[in-house]
Amino acid sequence: MYGRAIPQLSRAFLTMNDLADYSQTSIHAMLHPRSIALIGATPRMHYGGKFLKRLLAYRDRVEVYPINPKYNEIMDQPCQPSITSLAQAPDLAVIIVPWHAVLQTMQECSEKGVKAGIVISAGFSERGTDERRGLQKEIGRFARASGFRITGPNCLGLANIHDDLWLTSSSRVLTGSAGPIGLICQSGATLFGPLLARAADNGIGLSYAISTGNEADLEFADFARYLLDDPGTKVIAGFIEGFKDANKFVQVAKLAAERGKPLVIIKIGRSEQGARAAGSHTAALTGSDALYDAVCKQYGVIRVTNYDELLDISQVLAHFKLQRRDGVAVVSHSGGVSSLTADMLGNDGITLPALSPNAESTINAILNGFGAASNPADITGKANSEEFPAIIGALADEEEIGTLVVASAGGDRHAEQLIALRDTTDKNVAYLWTGSRAQETGLPKLKAAGIPIMSNPDGLAKALRAAFDYHAWREQRVASQAASKSSASECLDPFVRQGRTTLTESEGKQLLREWGIASPRERLVSSASEAAAAAQEIGFPVVMKIDSPDIQHKTEAGGVKLDVRDAQSSQSAFDEITSSAMRYAPDARINGVVVQEMVSGGVEMIVGITYDAQLGATLLVGSGGVMVEVFKDVALRQCPVSRHEAMRMIDDLKGSVLLRGFRGSPPADTDALADALVEISQVAMQCNGKLAEMDINPLLVLPAGEGVRALDALITLCSAGNLI
């Protein structure tokens, strides 16, 4: 219920390296508290009273401690005079006291051992005086030095929507299911006003809603960094008035680019007038707007200009499947609506492919002389009929179409038919709602199913354009290996936090893919029937291997089957592999069996990383098979290596003759091998202190122009990694 576990750090003598981790620990306490002290609680329905009333609704799962020396009891709850009066430290303190008492209150919280604070109190840099700006800097310095990290001051609180925990005095909360979008906003009034109102209107599900206020301590980048690790958050949306630490934002943007988790932001400061307004509100440094645009473009951050774009684009990115076909089909009950929608899509460069003769004849037969069987399709009253599935099915079957847009206001059956199409095809579905937002049929079902809903054609077009561009940018980045490896170390953090020292083969290859080293297609399965289905999907023949962090030598354990050629054989192989592995290592943790594409041809190599106490990271490349086992045909270099040095390593190998073509075999892709050596050497440098050893054996070098594939990977971590 309380989300991912964060390791506890010592509160005393925090180092600079500790501070980044401790901020994440404090954010976790803010979003997943088991106990909360409200300092400034009051029976009056002002901030303190409204906040307390909200907290008391969670008494069945959160301990609540009202704090105010003026009262013995508030709302039938015992009231303590100060935080120091409590028997034990709560996870979170909410501070609603006059501005001049905030610093002293924070000091008392720190002395008590509280992990985190939400400072609602206002009256700091937004007042525009040197005195108040100085006080805000002082509370920020205290928060970082003491480890009592805060959001605010001058914020409206936050919400963990997955756990239905709204830590705010605002009356606006979202009802219904949570969703995959994390929303971070400096302006509390904007978050709990227009943004949440629009999210409710369109059924946009959020994972967290966080207001950061004046950002004396924690800022947008800190919370975004937390959400990058949150599995329930697929997209991070932000409303940013200014950055306190622009470099921190750049680092988070780099990591988001590596992870493929989109950032969508409104950043105030495009105009001089906007920059002045942001400064007067939060005293933030808006910086050079052109430079921010360049950084956003470089790292795939989607910068938008208004609330609707922020939420529309976020919901499309969060709910759309990865789709390589950018063609769009539009279907509506109205020729006017469909034509305007097509016009807006065309303005944004989105293609509406002409329908095939088969699709046209299918739809024409249903329309029976009414409407238009084209793209866009005007299907008149058939939008709310039992024939609607046949129409949208014909459109979804079109090869060039990846996304279906329905522009209408259908009832429940209409919505169910559309949801069924979305769930049974690989096509994406978006809805342009043309009816009343108060309609009680159709619309609620679409919202609950996570169908992206928009209210105007222009917004729809911009959202689709942004999603298509993001995925194209991401694909090109991965394909060209242009992704910055500055965040390679962070890829190991989830395993380090779990105390892991060995990774499974599938986990190792996933890391390699994130670092730019390709591997065969594969699926992890947990039953014989799943193995057969996975093998058929991948295509025979396949390789099957046990997946366990405790079995490093899979062949010795009988945990590998090669050249599996049919469904029955794959089921038998699954049973044989798991049985052999359990006999070999009865206490081993077994995750399942990996069904892997069998790649043939090419030259097998071995590539590895080790760390020497004196020389640091060392890169090894060697000939595969018996060449490395018997003849020790390897080359070594200190990391990092240049491309020139990587080619020299390859030339040093006796087996390099095989790479250049031998007895009629085609030359291998030595350029791709050299590129891989350079990338791996860079990863080794950045993961020093976390990575203990890496062994890619074999790395298959395919014919020239076809690249390399990591067929197996063994990665071990240091027993105690130092998180950055």
Side-chain angles (χ1 to χ4, degrees):
M1 173 180 176
Y2 291 99
R4 65 187 178 98
I6 299 290
Q8 301 300 307
L9 303 176
S10 169
R11 295 189 60 81
F13 307 110
L14 294 174
T15 68
M16 290 302 291
N17 286 336
D18 291 332
L19 287 175
D21 290 324
Y22 203 82
S23 71
Q24 299 299 291
T25 305
S26 296
I27 290 171
H28 188 75
M30 290 179 196
L31 296 172
H32 301 271
R34 294 178 175 86
S35 54
I36 303 172
L38 178 56
I39 305 172
T42 175
R44 297 178 296 165
M45 283 297 102
H46 296 162
Y47 282 108
K50 291 178 180 178
F51 212 121
L52 179 59
K53 184 177 180 181
R54 174 69 49 70
L55 292 182
L56 293 178
Y58 307 132
R59 277 180 295 183
D60 59 330
R61 48 201 170 107
V62 179
E63 293 289 335
V64 179
Y65 304 106
I67 307 290
N68 193 325
K70 296 180 180 179
Y71 304 98
N72 295 321
E73 182 180 279
I74 303 177
M75 300 181 189
D76 298 323
Q77 189 79 0
C79 186
Q80 300 297 324
S82 72
I83 189 78
T84 58
S85 303
L86 297 178
Q88 59 186 13
D91 291 335
L92 174 66
V94 178
I95 298 175
I96 310 177
V97 299
W99 63 269
H100 53 79
V102 168
L103 181 57
Q104 179 182 342
T105 303
M106 289 176 58
Q107 292 168 342
E108 292 172 354
C109 289
S110 176
E111 291 168 7
K112 188 66 182 178
V114 185
K115 300 174 183 177
I118 300 173
V119 181
I120 306 295
S121 308
F124 294 90
S125 62
E126 78 277 7
R127 300 293 294 175
T129 68
D130 291 341
E131 176 194 6
R132 301 296 178 87
R133 281 192 289 264
L135 180 56
Q136 180 169 305
K137 289 180 180 178
E138 190 174 353
I139 66 173
R141 284 193 294 266
F142 177 79
R144 291 184 288 274
S146 67
F148 173 66
R149 310 304 298 271
I150 65 167
T151 184
N154 189 29
C155 74
L156 280 183
L158 46 80
N160 171 352
I161 303 168
H162 281 304
D163 292 341
D164 191 28
L165 191 64
W166 291 80
L167 305 183
T168 177
S169 58
S170 172
S171 60
R172 176 170 280 123
V173 300
L174 293 181
T175 58
S177 60
I181 300 169
L183 182 55
I184 308 167
C185 189
Q186 277 185 257
S187 167
T190 299
L191 173 62
F192 290 96
L195 288 178
L196 287 187
R198 283 165 168 77
D201 284 346
N202 285 349
I204 298 173
L206 305 178
S207 55
Y208 300 95
I210 301 163
S211 71
T212 59
N214 290 8
E215 296 186 346
D217 176 26
L218 299 175
E219 57 184 294
F220 169 87
D222 296 300
F223 288 98
R225 179 64 186 85
Y226 181 92
L227 295 182
L228 283 176
D229 284 342
D230 179 62
T233 300
K234 294 183 180 180
V235 176
I236 300 169
F239 180 93
I240 303 166
E241 298 184 31
F243 295 108
K244 297 293 188 299
D245 185 345
N247 184 60
K248 188 188 291 186
F249 167 73
V250 172
Q251 296 306 313
V252 169
K254 287 181 181 179
L255 183 55
E258 292 297 316
R259 300 274 183 89
K261 186 173 283 193
L263 290 175
V264 188
I265 67 168
I266 295 174
K267 163 65 175 68
I268 292 176
R270 286 196 181 277
S271 67
E272 182 181 349
Q273 181 172 301
R276 287 200 306 269
S280 65
H281 189 195
T282 64
L285 299 175
T286 56
S288 167
D289 194 67
L291 179 58
Y292 282 121
D293 268 345
V295 168
C296 289
K297 183 177 181 180
Q298 182 176 358
Y299 297 111
V301 179
I302 301 167
R303 188 173 177 186
V304 301
T305 58
N306 60 63
Y307 308 140
D308 293 317
E309 282 185 7
L310 181 73
L311 294 175
D312 286 347
I313 292 170
S314 294
Q315 67 167 326
V316 168
L317 284 166
H319 291 290
F320 267 27
K321 309 161 192 173
L322 183 59
Q323 179 59 257
R324 299 186 185 281
R325 292 159 292 189
D326 286 353
V328 173
V330 176
V331 58
S332 177
H333 67 283
S334 163
V337 170
S338 60
S339 296
L340 178 60
T341 303
D343 200 24
M344 293 297 101
L345 292 171
N347 285 345
D348 275 292
I350 295 173
T351 302
L352 275 67
L355 300 185
S356 67
N358 183 58
E360 278 193 17
S361 63
T362 299
I363 297 173
N364 268 326
I366 297 171
L367 295 180
N368 194 25
F370 295 92
S374 58
N375 189 15
D378 172 14
I379 62 172
T380 64
K382 299 297 183 181
N384 276 290
S385 73
E386 291 306 312
E387 294 157 307
F388 182 59
I391 295 173
I392 58 177
L395 294 172
D397 286 342
E398 292 291 88
E399 184 63 30
E400 295 181 60
I401 290 171
T403 300
L404 175 66
V405 172
V406 178
S408 192
D412 284 346
R413 183 62 183 146
H414 168 94
E416 291 164 358
Q417 292 164 341
L418 188 61
I419 293 164
L421 175 80
R422 190 274 311 268
D423 292 344
T424 55
T425 72
D426 65 345
K427 302 301 172 75
N428 289 313
V429 173
Y431 207 103
L432 179 63
W433 186 257
T434 61
S436 167
R437 292 307 176 93
Q439 183 170 315
E440 296 181 354
T441 59
L443 186 58
K445 285 187 177 290
L446 294 171
K447 290 180 180 180
I451 299 287
I453 302 167
M454 277 144 280
S455 57
N456 66 77
D458 184 53
L460 168 73
K462 284 183 168 54
L464 295 185
R465 180 75 273 160
F468 295 163
D469 288 348
Y470 176 82
H471 289 302
W473 168 85
R474 172 78 178 151
E475 187 173 321
Q476 291 169 4
R477 182 181 176 88
V478 172
S480 65
Q481 297 187 357
S484 168
K485 294 298 178 293
S486 62
S487 61
S489 175
E490 280 91 337
C491 296
L492 299 177
D493 288 351
F495 303 104
V496 174
R497 292 190 183 100
Q498 297 168 22
R500 298 274 298 278
T501 55
T502 59
L503 307 187
T504 67
E505 177 188 338
S506 60
E507 289 169 337
K509 286 190 290 189
Q510 176 60 38
L511 282 174
L512 289 176
R513 286 192 289 270
E514 293 187 34
W515 293 334
I517 309 300
S519 62
R521 293 179 297 127
E522 65 181 34
R523 277 187 54 192
L524 178 64
V525 299
S526 57
S527 69
S529 60
E530 287 183 9
Q536 288 177 322
E537 178 184 327
I538 291 171
F540 294 104
V542 297
V543 178
M544 297 176 62
K545 305 177 185 179
I546 198 70
D547 192 74
S548 168
D550 303 320
I551 300 177
Q552 301 300 314
H553 302 288
K554 295 182 286 294
T555 303
E556 293 180 10
V560 179
K561 293 286 185 182
L562 303 175
D563 202 26
V564 179
R565 290 190 168 270
D566 55 54
Q568 184 175 352
S569 299
S570 61
Q571 292 186 26
S572 300
F574 179 92
D575 294 333
E576 292 172 18
I577 287 171
T578 52
S579 297
S580 296
M582 287 187 285
R583 286 195 300 271
Y584 177 83
D587 297 326
R589 295 164 291 174
I590 295 177
N591 299 328
V593 170
V594 172
V595 181
Q596 176 183 301
E597 173 189 11
M598 187 166 177
V599 183
S600 58
V603 180
E604 290 189 358
M605 306 292 290
I606 180 173
V607 176
I609 292 294
T610 58
Y611 290 88
D612 180 84
Q614 299 297 320
L615 297 177
T618 302
L619 174 69
L620 173 150
V621 63
S623 300
V626 296
M627 294 290 285
V628 71
E629 294 289 340
V630 177
F631 300 108
K632 309 297 182 186
D633 185 28
V634 300
L636 300 172
R637 294 290 191 280
Q638 189 180 34
C639 295
V641 300
S642 66
R643 197 175 189 285
H644 174 72
E645 197 62 32
M647 292 299 294
R648 289 184 60 190
M649 292 179 73
I650 296 169
D651 289 338
D652 286 349
L653 299 174
K654 297 180 180 70
S656 64
V657 62
L658 300 176
L659 294 169
R660 290 172 172 80
F662 184 71
R663 292 187 176 178
S665 63
D669 200 339
T670 52
D671 286 337
L673 174 59
D675 290 340
L677 294 176
V678 172
E679 296 291 348
I680 292 167
S681 75
Q682 293 288 344
V683 167
M685 295 297 293
Q686 292 152 36
C687 294
N688 193 0
K690 296 179 185 178
L691 180 65
E693 186 177 359
M694 180 194 302
D695 188 359
I696 307 172
N697 185 20
L699 179 72
L700 188 65
V701 186
L702 297 172
E706 296 182 27
V708 299
R709 299 290 185 276
L711 302 189
D712 201 345
L714 173 63
I715 292 179
T716 58
L717 306 181
C718 300
S719 57
N722 296 317
L723 298 181
I724 297 173

